[in-house]
Amino acid sequence: MPQFETSQEWLTQSSLLLQARPTTTRITSKYNVLSPTSAKITKKRSKRPLKTNPESTTTTTTTATPPEAPLAAFILKTYDPVSGACLKYKTDKAAEVGRLVGCLGRLGRSMAALPEMGEDQTPDHKDDVEDRPEQKNTPASAVVSTPPQTQGSGGKKKKKGRK
Amino acid sequence: MASIHMSNEEFFTRLAELFDSRRNKGHGTVFLTQKRLTYAFDDETDFPPSAEKVSDDPLWDLHPPHPVPVLIRATDGASKEKRRDRKKDDKVKLSTIVQPDALDSFYVRYAEICKTGMSALKKRDRSKRKKVAKKKKAGGVDDGNKA
């Protein structure tokens, strides 16, 4: 089960999977907050010092003391039960949530068999759109692609301005 | 069949409640799932196509005649047995159907609710120094972020 480093990579692979199997593929996003007493966290905390200690004991005392392991995580999983393909992306940053849900929206569009409005149009996308009889034959790199992007970045800018 | 699912509006309010209850509990999980609606809940739409049509064209789902609604689900991920032990209310299961034309507006609100709901994720770090300070006095810095 591949887990991607970047959300962009996850998005492109997921959209390809969705194009191949639009009816069976589902996207599950999991927002998980572990309780501080959770076994996962206590294990991680006990493991970490063991890994770092042999190298140098003096530095690890400063670095390993704040055991603020990522308590919360947002995990996106694209899964197609027919082919068994499963694509994962995991983050613990709040700043990414808005963009990731935007990604879910774009993938939702291809689930709904609506024309893509993404900015990264690969030739595959275009072929797919043109194959569909009902949809307009305008190339998928349509002008509509810009609004979500500007919205996202606009929001960030506003936040920066306030501070 | 359609009565099982709630309206988009109700889904949003219930989802916000779900996130809130997670926050009040201090820990927990929220699962969000989206998939294409694959059963016919409305006789008017011929979807999914009959078995004959499928055998004629095995790749029918790659070019459906109409845009297809998307099914969105949300759950707190609690197994029913676990809940029974605690004698608390049942597993929370929310679902809604988003019509293709409402998809964009739905996801705008969906993103907002997710952003406010997923409050336990790491806030953006301004610098490494602040990161250290944040851990020492988490409350003060959080207030600063909100203001």
Side-chain angles (χ1 to χ4, degrees), chain A:
Chain A
M1 172 181 346
Q3 183 156 337
F4 296 105
E5 292 295 314
T6 62
S7 60
Q8 186 58 43
E9 217 176 329
W10 175 84
L11 176 64
T12 47
Q13 294 299 320
S14 297
S15 63
L16 289 174
L17 178 59
L18 258 177
Q19 278 163 35
R21 298 188 176 272
T23 30
T24 50
T25 302
R26 60 168 172 256
I27 302 172
T28 307
S29 28
K30 175 182 168 185
Y31 167 62
N32 188 21
V33 183
L34 295 169
S35 72
T37 54
S38 165
K40 275 184 187 173
I41 291 177
T42 44
K43 263 186 195 173
K44 265 184 194 171
R45 283 175 186 174
S46 59
K47 270 182 191 173
R48 272 189 183 171
L50 287 176
K51 278 180 187 172
T52 46
N53 271 341
E55 293 165 5
S56 59
T57 43
T58 48
T59 49
T60 44
T61 46
T62 51
T63 50
T65 36
E68 296 275 319
L71 297 174
F74 187 38
I75 300 153
L76 298 165
K77 192 167 82 174
T78 314
Y79 177 58
D80 170 34
V82 177
S83 65
C86 181
L87 313 164
K88 278 179 94 175
Y89 176 70
K90 183 178 178 179
T91 185
D92 58 354
K93 292 179 189 67
E96 278 193 278
V97 172
R99 187 159 47 82
L100 289 173
V101 179
C103 292
L104 289 180
R106 286 174 57 190
L107 294 170
R109 280 185 73 88
S110 51
M111 270 182 192
L114 288 165
E116 291 259 351
M117 52 176 234
E119 60 282 328
D120 58 339
Q121 288 301 321
T122 57
D124 292 333
H125 289 230
K126 283 176 186 171
D127 288 345
D128 193 34
V129 169
E130 280 159 15
D131 282 347
R132 293 176 193 151
E134 283 288 316
Q135 270 135 18
K136 299 161 197 168
N137 274 336
T138 48
S141 57
V143 205
V144 205
S145 62
T146 36
Q149 265 195 321
T150 46
Q151 275 181 354
S153 58
K156 280 169 197 167
K157 274 172 197 167
K158 270 180 193 170
K159 276 177 195 168
K160 277 175 192 169
R162 277 176 206 162
K163 276 160 202 176

Side-chain angles (χ1 to χ4, degrees), chain B:
Chain B
M1 288 292 262
S3 60
I4 297 171
H5 305 288
M6 50 189 77
S7 70
N8 292 359
E9 268 318 298
E10 196 188 349
F11 178 80
F12 283 133
T13 49
R14 298 279 295 275
L15 180 61
E17 282 169 19
L18 181 60
F19 275 122
D20 282 343
S21 69
R22 206 282 319 149
R23 191 181 298 128
N24 295 336
K25 220 167 43 163
H27 63 96
T29 309
V30 175
F31 287 93
L32 307 165
T33 309
Q34 65 182 53
K35 68 193 288 281
R36 176 180 279 190
L37 190 67
T38 46
Y39 59 86
F41 63 100
D42 193 355
D43 292 335
E44 288 169 24
T45 56
D46 182 29
F47 191 86
S50 58
E52 294 164 23
K53 270 190 189 172
V54 172
S55 58
D56 283 347
D57 181 9
L59 295 176
W60 59 270
D61 62 341
L62 295 184
H63 43 77
H66 309 287
V68 187
V70 176
L71 175 63
I72 311 261
R73 292 198 186 108
T75 164
D76 60 353
S79 68
K80 278 181 180 169
E81 281 173 33
K82 214 177 169 185
R83 286 280 170 171
R84 238 178 272 150
D85 290 345
R86 290 182 196 166
K87 303 251 174 167
K88 278 189 180 176
D89 46 351
D90 282 335
K91 174 179 182 175
V92 181
K93 284 169 92 177
L94 317 173
S95 65
T96 189
I97 293 169
V98 186
Q99 296 301 325
D101 52 338
L103 206 66
D104 290 335
S105 54
F106 178 87
Y107 271 98
V108 171
R109 294 232 9 225
Y110 193 45
E112 274 171 26
I113 287 168
C114 289
K115 267 192 264 181
T116 50
M118 300 184 187
S119 53
L121 294 170
K122 279 184 189 167
K123 302 284 187 299
R124 192 186 302 247
D125 293 327
R126 295 290 160 215
S127 66
K128 282 181 183 176
R129 281 180 198 168
K130 273 192 179 177
K131 203 177 179 182
V132 177
K134 202 180 191 177
K135 278 168 188 170
K136 283 178 184 170
K137 40 175 183 177
V141 175
D142 277 351
D143 289 344
N145 276 343
K146 279 171 196 170

